[in-house]
Amino acid sequence: TNPSDFSGIAGVYYQLDITPTVTLSPTFVAGTGINSLANRSVSSEGQHSIYIWLQDGAGNSERYHYQVLPNAFKYDATSPQCDALGKQGTLGNNGFYTSPVTVTLAGHDALSGLAAYHYRINEGSWITVPVSSAPMVFSQDGRYIINHRVSDLAGNIQSTPCQETIWIDATAPTSPVSPIVTPSDWTRTNSFTVSWTNPTDTPAGIAAAYLKKSAPPASNRDGQRYESGGITSISGLTTDSEGETLAYVWLEDRAGNINYASRVAVSLKYDRTAPTTTLVKSGTLGNNGYYVSPVTLRFSATDAASGVATIYYRLNGGAEQIWNGSDIVLNQEGEYTVTFRAVDRAGNSEQPVKQEALKLDLTAPTGSLHVPSQYTASSSATVEWSGSDSSQGSGVERFSVEYRIGGCSPWQAWLSDTAATSSAFTDLWTNRFYYFRVRATDYAGNVSDWTEPDADDYIYREGLGNPSFDSCSLASWSTSGGLPVTNVTATGYDGSPSCMAQLNKQKWSGDPPEDAPGGVPVGGHGLIWQSIQLPLRECDRSLTLSFWYHIQTYDVAWGLVQ
């Protein structure tokens, strides 16, 4: 607004940025009553102050009478620029955030200053917010592509937006899917591969796996780490000992998220030790390792790790068979060789193959007895016996022999468990029948029945003294009667010389002719006898006493010898 002036205002001087009292380089714009300046320009961007003073119609002008408009011209032709986003959150691996992220938009402008932020997310619509707006918070897992730019107070807007990507994965992988072990069953080779299918893990994806054997993990990294993008298997695993070892597997994603509670367990089954088999025998064991009854065979096998799969056996070198759990019954006499082995579920076969020998003798032997002479005059007599066993039997080992005196008396032990097959029985009583029986025992301990005495299994001791006069003595005999008894030697009944008792009368000279030549008159007699007590007939055999004698007779013409 112009001041009052006598000659009136005729023009105006102005100068930019420099005080006219210091340096004078003004621009003059003439104009009667001029009170404005239009379409002025400045030499550079920024804020410019203008200094003005007036000239009147008489040409009067005073630079010291200036007025200043500080920062009157604000010229900003340069677009502002965005700055890197401010991000606050927990940064994991590979640029992933593992927590919600607070994002602050930022930019700069050298002149007029920022007026607003403009942004869009994942190619969405542009959103404009004042510079003073609150930060944005991203809390969901995923990828966020943020385009952002700024505008200034002069109206300039950034032509080429800035772009930044934020990855958020705050969730640990879930459990491995469908884990398997190769080999899946028991194995003799200590090498395993664990395989699985990875669960969906977005956006990071699986980066590594952890594995721990024997005991469950106690923390996220309590195991051996195997790193490989998208890993789905771990090979070359071994166990520290035979048996079933649990292996625990859990996953880590590329963001570093891991949760050991999501582990899965698989079983590594390693067995390098063969099973052990025992032959279980049921039967009656006799002597010398022989069974005297049918034998039932069963097998018992143990395996400390995988367990017994199959038991094989063979008898006497025959074809190998698989034992089905049923009893194997041996009921034939003879010797058996049983070989057997077990194979476990890992394929370990018992070595060396076990072998046991069995002997069966199921039949008792038989015995027989023989008395060479049933009659004796001696106090001793020989008894013989024998035994036999079956062709597959153990053979006769020993005998027991009993006797009894008289058929009604009890049996008495004579010889027990003797290997002899004959013996002399001594101290025979006179006028007694002795009976014998035998029982055989084989090497297996089988005992036969006692033999039944037959017609010849006895001995009778003669009770008559010198019954056949063989001693040529009559000492055992008593005599009486009119005829004297003498011992003579004469031809016996079998034609050989034999002692005999002769009953006659001694011839004397002068005897009448009727007494000659034998000296036994008609009607003469003599007696010879012994008294003995015979066995009871109801208990024993009948006895026969035979008399053999010669009689010579003469007629009265005794002198005529025919």
Side-chain angles (χ1 to χ4, degrees), residues 272-483:
R272 193 66 183 84
T273 302
T276 300
T277 310
T278 302
L279 177 61
V280 180
K281 306 176 285 291
S282 298
T284 303
L285 186 61
N287 300 333
N288 300 301
Y290 280 89
Y291 283 88
V292 295
S293 71
V295 177
T296 298
L297 303 181
R298 296 184 64 85
F299 299 96
S300 175
T302 59
D303 187 81
S306 61
V308 177
T310 309
I311 296 175
Y312 297 90
Y313 75 96
R314 72 174 77 228
L315 295 176
N316 291 342
E320 190 171 61
Q321 303 179 61
I322 295 176
W323 185 52
N324 61 7
S326 300
D327 291 345
I328 302 169
V329 180
L330 306 180
N331 54 15
Q332 299 295 320
E333 287 187 333
E335 296 186 0
Y336 295 85
T337 299
V338 184
T339 56
F340 52 95
R341 65 185 177 97
V343 178
D344 63 21
R345 293 175 57 194
N348 296 299
S349 179
E350 188 173 8
Q351 293 295 335
V353 175
K354 290 187 174 178
Q355 178 173 300
E356 289 195 29
L358 295 92
K359 301 182 291 185
L360 274 68
D361 186 344
L362 308 179
T363 306
T366 58
S368 63
L369 186 137
H370 172 63
V371 177
S373 177
Q374 286 74 43
Y375 172 86
T376 182
S378 170
S379 62
S380 174
T382 298
V383 181
E384 298 174 349
W385 56 87
S386 63
S388 63
D389 203 11
S390 64
S391 61
Q392 295 295 321
S394 57
V396 177
E397 179 185 27
R398 60 189 186 274
F399 302 89
S400 293
V401 185
E402 292 184 341
Y403 74 98
R404 63 182 177 183
I405 305 173
C408 295
S409 63
W411 290 99
Q412 302 179 56
W414 175 28
L415 301 173
S416 296
D417 296 328
T418 180
T421 56
S422 66
S423 182
F425 189 90
T426 60
D427 197 23
L428 292 171
W429 297 355
T430 58
N431 302 308
R432 294 290 187 272
F433 281 96
Y434 285 80
Y435 300 91
F436 297 89
R437 65 179 183 178
V438 66
R439 181 173 66 185
T441 301
D442 62 21
Y443 283 93
N446 294 305
V447 181
S448 72
D449 293 332
W450 290 102
T451 56
E452 291 292 334
D454 61 21
D456 296 325
D457 293 345
Y458 71 92
I459 298 173
Y460 178 75
R461 182 181 178 186
E462 178 60 69
L464 291 175
N466 192 21
S468 298
F469 308 103
D470 291 337
S471 65
C472 294
S473 170
L474 297 178
S476 299
W477 293 89
S478 298
T479 62
S480 65
L483 299 178

Side-chain angles (χ1 to χ4, degrees), residues 87-101:
K87 300 182 282 290
Q88 291 184 333
T90 302
L91 188 61
N93 299 334
N94 300 301
F96 283 88
Y97 285 90
T98 57
S99 70
V101 180

Side-chain angles (χ1 to χ4, degrees), residues 175-221:
S175 301
V177 179
S178 302
I180 60 172
V181 175
T182 305
S184 59
D185 207 345
W186 289 92
T187 178
R188 302 171 59 225
T189 304
N190 193 7
S191 180
F192 300 88
T193 297
V194 179
S195 305
W196 64 88
T197 300
N198 283 326
T200 300
D201 185 89
T202 55
I206 303 301
Y210 281 82
L211 184 141
K212 184 180 181 184
K213 292 177 288 188
S214 299
S219 61
N220 283 342
R221 289 175 171 78

Side-chain angles (χ1 to χ4, degrees), residues 21-93:
T21 58
V22 177
T23 301
L24 186 62
S25 58
T27 299
F28 178 74
V29 179
T32 300
I34 188 172
N35 63 354
S36 65
L37 291 170
N39 297 319
R40 299 299 94 188
S41 64
V42 293
S43 60
S44 63
E45 292 181 281
Q47 299 188 74
H48 298 272
S49 298
I50 185 168
Y51 297 85
I52 62 173
W53 63 96
L54 301 176
Q55 179 177 308
D56 60 15
N60 296 306
S61 171
E62 181 55 63
R63 61 176 175 171
Y64 291 102
H65 293 166
Y66 67 85
Q67 288 286 352
V68 61
L69 288 175
N71 298 323
F73 301 143
K74 298 178 179 180
Y75 174 41
D76 185 356
T78 302
S79 298
Q81 295 297 314
C82 57
D83 292 333
L85 296 172
K87 300 182 282 290
Q88 291 184 333
T90 302
L91 188 61
N93 299 334

